[in-house]
Amino acid sequence: MTETRISRWYFGGIASCAAACCTHPLDLIKVHLQTQQEVKMRMTGMAMQVVRSDGVLALYNGLSASLCRQMTYSMTRFAIYETVRDKISSQNQGPMPFYQKILLAAFGGLTGGFIGTPADMVNVRMQNDVKLPPELRRNYAHALDGLARVWKEGENKKIRLQKNLTHFGIWRAVHFMFSSQGGCATVLCQPMDVVKTRLMNSKGEYRGVIHCLSDTGKLGPKAFYKGLVPAGIRLIPHTVLTFIFLEQLRLYFGIRVVTST
């Protein structure tokens, strides 16, 4: 008799939350760099400015929204991918073919992106708030407060968000497929990540994805790679930590499966 353990459907979300707690400051600096109209500061300078103006804890602004994003986006994509993969593998008595894993990852990423975009938008806004003058800050108390206020106050923005959900969802699917490649994923995803951040942080100045693309393009090609360094530094440990936490959860709390040998 051989005993193995498989993940529970929610382990991916928990593992991603644990990883996000470790890498959140880098994500915050990335957002600050991406929302600069012109390149005025680099990663170190931006981090020092945040700490000087609002203290060390300001590096964790928006953490509740980041965790909310992980519990929607990451939990959904991991739940879909791992649950379906394990079920098919058990039925076929062997691993899934590679092309099926790619298609499943794309579907999981697309679905997770669609569900996780509202929390992602609140996360971007909360992270960027400390950079704004006090009179322009949104001052969301936490992630749920941000979601509720977007629903109540941003009717037009909500409509634009719904139109752009598919674009973000598709890009999340691509991001999920490339996530294990670390630096390669960062370079490939960075231009659309910049556009996504600027759209989510906007106060109505962009009509949609194409308008944001063209407006960002006026600043030159480098504008699409703002925040590349902290994004790369964050993505690699975030991915590694996520799978380390996921593996430990599976080993100690996973579902026991006993097979005869």
mmCIF file of all heavy atoms in Angstrom, residues 59-85:
data_model
loop_
_atom_site.group_PDB
_atom_site.id
_atom_site.type_symbol
_atom_site.label_atom_id
_atom_site.label_comp_id
_atom_site.label_asym_id
_atom_site.label_seq_id
_atom_site.Cartn_x
_atom_site.Cartn_y
_atom_site.Cartn_z
ATOM 1 N N LEU A 59 5.029 50.637 3.267
ATOM 2 C CA LEU A 59 5.389 49.648 2.253
ATOM 3 C C LEU A 59 4.389 48.502 2.200
ATOM 4 O O LEU A 59 4.390 47.719 1.248
ATOM 5 C CB LEU A 59 6.788 49.092 2.527
ATOM 6 C CG LEU A 59 7.949 50.084 2.368
ATOM 7 C CD1 LEU A 59 9.245 49.458 2.852
ATOM 8 C CD2 LEU A 59 8.086 50.537 0.916
ATOM 9 N N TYR A 60 3.544 48.412 3.221
ATOM 10 C CA TYR A 60 2.522 47.361 3.250
ATOM 11 C C TYR A 60 1.118 47.919 3.033
ATOM 12 O O TYR A 60 0.134 47.225 3.293
ATOM 13 C CB TYR A 60 2.596 46.589 4.574
ATOM 14 C CG TYR A 60 3.750 45.624 4.606
ATOM 15 C CD1 TYR A 60 5.005 46.024 5.046
ATOM 16 C CD2 TYR A 60 3.599 44.318 4.144
ATOM 17 C CE1 TYR A 60 6.078 45.143 5.042
ATOM 18 C CE2 TYR A 60 4.652 43.432 4.141
ATOM 19 C CZ TYR A 60 5.897 43.848 4.591
ATOM 20 O OH TYR A 60 6.952 42.969 4.574
ATOM 21 N N ASN A 61 1.024 49.159 2.542
ATOM 22 C CA ASN A 61 -0.290 49.708 2.188
ATOM 23 C C ASN A 61 -0.937 48.826 1.123
ATOM 24 O O ASN A 61 -0.298 48.427 0.148
ATOM 25 C CB ASN A 61 -0.138 51.130 1.622
ATOM 26 C CG ASN A 61 -0.091 52.166 2.721
ATOM 27 O OD1 ASN A 61 -0.097 51.830 3.899
ATOM 28 N ND2 ASN A 61 -0.036 53.423 2.350
ATOM 29 N N GLY A 62 -2.211 48.539 1.318
ATOM 30 C CA GLY A 62 -2.931 47.718 0.353
ATOM 31 C C GLY A 62 -2.749 46.232 0.548
ATOM 32 O O GLY A 62 -3.175 45.433 -0.304
ATOM 33 N N LEU A 63 -2.128 45.821 1.667
ATOM 34 C CA LEU A 63 -1.904 44.393 1.874
ATOM 35 C C LEU A 63 -3.222 43.626 1.940
ATOM 36 O O LEU A 63 -3.325 42.508 1.417
ATOM 37 C CB LEU A 63 -1.105 44.169 3.164
ATOM 38 C CG LEU A 63 -0.794 42.704 3.508
ATOM 39 C CD1 LEU A 63 0.021 42.050 2.404
ATOM 40 C CD2 LEU A 63 -0.051 42.611 4.843
ATOM 41 N N SER A 64 -4.250 44.210 2.569
ATOM 42 C CA SER A 64 -5.541 43.516 2.658
ATOM 43 C C SER A 64 -6.114 43.274 1.261
ATOM 44 O O SER A 64 -6.688 42.212 0.989
ATOM 45 C CB SER A 64 -6.532 44.318 3.507
ATOM 46 O OG SER A 64 -6.846 45.559 2.895
ATOM 47 N N ALA A 65 -5.944 44.255 0.370
ATOM 48 C CA ALA A 65 -6.436 44.084 -1.000
ATOM 49 C C ALA A 65 -5.588 43.070 -1.757
ATOM 50 O O ALA A 65 -6.105 42.312 -2.585
ATOM 51 C CB ALA A 65 -6.433 45.432 -1.726
ATOM 52 N N SER A 66 -4.288 43.060 -1.474
ATOM 53 C CA SER A 66 -3.425 42.070 -2.107
ATOM 54 C C SER A 66 -3.819 40.656 -1.700
ATOM 55 O O SER A 66 -3.873 39.738 -2.526
ATOM 56 C CB SER A 66 -1.958 42.333 -1.720
ATOM 57 O OG SER A 66 -1.100 41.383 -2.313
ATOM 58 N N LEU A 67 -4.126 40.475 -0.413
ATOM 59 C CA LEU A 67 -4.572 39.157 0.062
ATOM 60 C C LEU A 67 -5.926 38.794 -0.529
ATOM 61 O O LEU A 67 -6.181 37.631 -0.883
ATOM 62 C CB LEU A 67 -4.642 39.152 1.589
ATOM 63 C CG LEU A 67 -3.312 39.375 2.321
ATOM 64 C CD1 LEU A 67 -3.522 39.379 3.827
ATOM 65 C CD2 LEU A 67 -2.289 38.324 1.922
ATOM 66 N N CYS A 68 -6.805 39.801 -0.671
ATOM 67 C CA CYS A 68 -8.106 39.572 -1.290
ATOM 68 C C CYS A 68 -7.928 39.146 -2.746
ATOM 69 O O CYS A 68 -8.626 38.255 -3.241
ATOM 70 C CB CYS A 68 -8.948 40.845 -1.207
ATOM 71 S SG CYS A 68 -10.630 40.679 -1.847
ATOM 72 N N ARG A 69 -6.966 39.776 -3.423
ATOM 73 C CA ARG A 69 -6.682 39.400 -4.812
ATOM 74 C C ARG A 69 -6.195 37.956 -4.889
ATOM 75 O O ARG A 69 -6.616 37.187 -5.767
ATOM 76 C CB ARG A 69 -5.614 40.335 -5.387
ATOM 77 C CG ARG A 69 -5.215 39.989 -6.819
ATOM 78 C CD ARG A 69 -4.112 40.902 -7.315
ATOM 79 N NE ARG A 69 -2.862 40.681 -6.586
ATOM 80 C CZ ARG A 69 -1.732 41.324 -6.850
ATOM 81 N NH1 ARG A 69 -1.708 42.259 -7.779
ATOM 82 N NH2 ARG A 69 -0.643 41.069 -6.161
ATOM 83 N N GLN A 70 -5.293 37.572 -3.974
ATOM 84 C CA GLN A 70 -4.784 36.209 -3.995
ATOM 85 C C GLN A 70 -5.884 35.187 -3.698
ATOM 86 O O GLN A 70 -5.904 34.094 -4.270
ATOM 87 C CB GLN A 70 -3.648 36.053 -2.974
ATOM 88 C CG GLN A 70 -2.448 36.938 -3.204
ATOM 89 C CD GLN A 70 -1.787 36.749 -4.553
ATOM 90 O OE1 GLN A 70 -1.894 35.693 -5.173
ATOM 91 N NE2 GLN A 70 -1.101 37.772 -5.031
ATOM 92 N N MET A 71 -6.823 35.572 -2.806
ATOM 93 C CA MET A 71 -7.893 34.643 -2.444
ATOM 94 C C MET A 71 -8.982 34.563 -3.516
ATOM 95 O O MET A 71 -9.880 33.726 -3.413
ATOM 96 C CB MET A 71 -8.512 35.064 -1.106
ATOM 97 C CG MET A 71 -7.563 34.893 0.077
ATOM 98 S SD MET A 71 -6.984 33.195 0.312
ATOM 99 C CE MET A 71 -8.465 32.435 0.979
ATOM 100 N N THR A 72 -8.917 35.436 -4.501
ATOM 101 C CA THR A 72 -9.849 35.339 -5.626
ATOM 102 C C THR A 72 -9.121 34.836 -6.866
ATOM 103 O O THR A 72 -9.400 33.736 -7.364
ATOM 104 C CB THR A 72 -10.502 36.707 -5.907
ATOM 105 O OG1 THR A 72 -9.490 37.728 -6.019
ATOM 106 C CG2 THR A 72 -11.461 37.084 -4.811
ATOM 107 N N TYR A 73 -8.155 35.606 -7.335
ATOM 108 C CA TYR A 73 -7.429 35.248 -8.557
ATOM 109 C C TYR A 73 -6.631 33.956 -8.396
ATOM 110 O O TYR A 73 -6.846 32.976 -9.126
ATOM 111 C CB TYR A 73 -6.516 36.412 -8.952
ATOM 112 C CG TYR A 73 -5.419 36.051 -9.925
ATOM 113 C CD1 TYR A 73 -5.711 35.464 -11.153
ATOM 114 C CD2 TYR A 73 -4.081 36.310 -9.620
ATOM 115 C CE1 TYR A 73 -4.702 35.135 -12.043
ATOM 116 C CE2 TYR A 73 -3.074 35.999 -10.507
ATOM 117 C CZ TYR A 73 -3.394 35.407 -11.713
ATOM 118 O OH TYR A 73 -2.393 35.085 -12.585
ATOM 119 N N SER A 74 -5.714 33.928 -7.434
ATOM 120 C CA SER A 74 -4.828 32.771 -7.298
ATOM 121 C C SER A 74 -5.579 31.520 -6.846
ATOM 122 O O SER A 74 -5.312 30.418 -7.329
ATOM 123 C CB SER A 74 -3.693 33.086 -6.316
ATOM 124 O OG SER A 74 -2.843 34.077 -6.852
ATOM 125 N N MET A 75 -6.507 31.688 -5.900
ATOM 126 C CA MET A 75 -7.257 30.525 -5.443
ATOM 127 C C MET A 75 -8.050 29.903 -6.588
ATOM 128 O O MET A 75 -8.093 28.672 -6.735
ATOM 129 C CB MET A 75 -8.200 30.894 -4.301
ATOM 130 C CG MET A 75 -8.982 29.696 -3.763
ATOM 131 S SD MET A 75 -10.035 30.108 -2.362
ATOM 132 C CE MET A 75 -8.819 30.308 -1.066
ATOM 133 N N THR A 76 -8.650 30.747 -7.416
ATOM 134 C CA THR A 76 -9.449 30.229 -8.533
ATOM 135 C C THR A 76 -8.590 29.475 -9.531
ATOM 136 O O THR A 76 -8.909 28.361 -9.940
ATOM 137 C CB THR A 76 -10.180 31.385 -9.248
ATOM 138 O OG1 THR A 76 -11.041 32.035 -8.321
ATOM 139 C CG2 THR A 76 -10.991 30.871 -10.422
ATOM 140 N N ARG A 77 -7.471 30.080 -9.932
ATOM 141 C CA ARG A 77 -6.649 29.434 -10.958
ATOM 142 C C ARG A 77 -6.019 28.147 -10.450
ATOM 143 O O ARG A 77 -5.983 27.141 -11.173
ATOM 144 C CB ARG A 77 -5.586 30.400 -11.481
ATOM 145 C CG ARG A 77 -4.516 30.834 -10.497
ATOM 146 C CD ARG A 77 -3.638 31.949 -11.107
ATOM 147 N NE ARG A 77 -2.648 32.447 -10.155
ATOM 148 C CZ ARG A 77 -1.359 32.118 -10.184
ATOM 149 N NH1 ARG A 77 -0.921 31.306 -11.107
ATOM 150 N NH2 ARG A 77 -0.521 32.628 -9.308
ATOM 151 N N PHE A 78 -5.561 28.142 -9.187
ATOM 152 C CA PHE A 78 -4.996 26.913 -8.640
ATOM 153 C C PHE A 78 -6.068 25.854 -8.440
ATOM 154 O O PHE A 78 -5.832 24.670 -8.692
ATOM 155 C CB PHE A 78 -4.292 27.202 -7.307
ATOM 156 C CG PHE A 78 -2.854 27.615 -7.458
ATOM 157 C CD1 PHE A 78 -2.477 28.928 -7.257
ATOM 158 C CD2 PHE A 78 -1.882 26.693 -7.811
ATOM 159 C CE1 PHE A 78 -1.158 29.321 -7.393
ATOM 160 C CE2 PHE A 78 -0.554 27.067 -7.954
ATOM 161 C CZ PHE A 78 -0.189 28.393 -7.746
ATOM 162 N N ALA A 79 -7.237 26.270 -7.962
ATOM 163 C CA ALA A 79 -8.320 25.310 -7.724
ATOM 164 C C ALA A 79 -8.723 24.618 -9.016
ATOM 165 O O ALA A 79 -8.892 23.389 -9.053
ATOM 166 C CB ALA A 79 -9.521 26.026 -7.100
ATOM 167 N N ILE A 80 -8.878 25.399 -10.071
ATOM 168 C CA ILE A 80 -9.260 24.820 -11.365
ATOM 169 C C ILE A 80 -8.166 23.897 -11.876
ATOM 170 O O ILE A 80 -8.409 22.739 -12.252
ATOM 171 C CB ILE A 80 -9.563 25.929 -12.390
ATOM 172 C CG1 ILE A 80 -10.849 26.663 -12.002
ATOM 173 C CG2 ILE A 80 -9.677 25.357 -13.801
ATOM 174 C CD1 ILE A 80 -11.142 27.875 -12.850
ATOM 175 N N TYR A 81 -6.942 24.405 -11.888
ATOM 176 C CA TYR A 81 -5.845 23.640 -12.490
ATOM 177 C C TYR A 81 -5.570 22.344 -11.726
ATOM 178 O O TYR A 81 -5.533 21.254 -12.321
ATOM 179 C CB TYR A 81 -4.582 24.496 -12.529
ATOM 180 C CG TYR A 81 -3.414 23.787 -13.176
ATOM 181 C CD1 TYR A 81 -3.293 23.732 -14.564
ATOM 182 C CD2 TYR A 81 -2.441 23.151 -12.402
ATOM 183 C CE1 TYR A 81 -2.231 23.066 -15.159
ATOM 184 C CE2 TYR A 81 -1.382 22.483 -12.988
ATOM 185 C CZ TYR A 81 -1.281 22.453 -14.371
ATOM 186 O OH TYR A 81 -0.233 21.784 -14.953
ATOM 187 N N GLU A 82 -5.386 22.457 -10.413
ATOM 188 C CA GLU A 82 -4.984 21.274 -9.654
ATOM 189 C C GLU A 82 -6.117 20.262 -9.503
ATOM 190 O O GLU A 82 -5.896 19.055 -9.574
ATOM 191 C CB GLU A 82 -4.456 21.693 -8.286
ATOM 192 C CG GLU A 82 -3.203 22.559 -8.368
ATOM 193 C CD GLU A 82 -2.226 22.258 -7.266
ATOM 194 O OE1 GLU A 82 -2.679 21.863 -6.176
ATOM 195 O OE2 GLU A 82 -1.012 22.418 -7.504
ATOM 196 N N THR A 83 -7.353 20.750 -9.319
ATOM 197 C CA THR A 83 -8.483 19.832 -9.155
ATOM 198 C C THR A 83 -8.730 19.034 -10.432
ATOM 199 O O THR A 83 -8.873 17.805 -10.398
ATOM 200 C CB THR A 83 -9.753 20.603 -8.768
ATOM 201 O OG1 THR A 83 -9.522 21.316 -7.546
ATOM 202 C CG2 THR A 83 -10.924 19.645 -8.572
ATOM 203 N N VAL A 84 -8.779 19.733 -11.558
ATOM 204 C CA VAL A 84 -9.028 19.055 -12.837
ATOM 205 C C VAL A 84 -7.859 18.151 -13.204
ATOM 206 O O VAL A 84 -8.046 17.026 -13.661
ATOM 207 C CB VAL A 84 -9.292 20.089 -13.949
ATOM 208 C CG1 VAL A 84 -9.436 19.392 -15.303
ATOM 209 C CG2 VAL A 84 -10.543 20.899 -13.636
ATOM 210 N N ARG A 85 -6.632 18.634 -13.003
ATOM 211 C CA ARG A 85 -5.447 17.824 -13.319
ATOM 212 C C ARG A 85 -5.438 16.528 -12.522
ATOM 213 O O ARG A 85 -5.209 15.440 -13.081
ATOM 214 C CB ARG A 85 -4.186 18.628 -13.019
ATOM 215 C CG ARG A 85 -2.880 17.879 -13.335
ATOM 216 C CD ARG A 85 -1.725 18.478 -12.564
ATOM 217 N NE ARG A 85 -1.942 18.378 -11.119
ATOM 218 C CZ ARG A 85 -1.183 18.986 -10.220
ATOM 219 N NH1 ARG A 85 -0.197 19.771 -10.603
ATOM 220 N NH2 ARG A 85 -1.430 18.837 -8.916
#
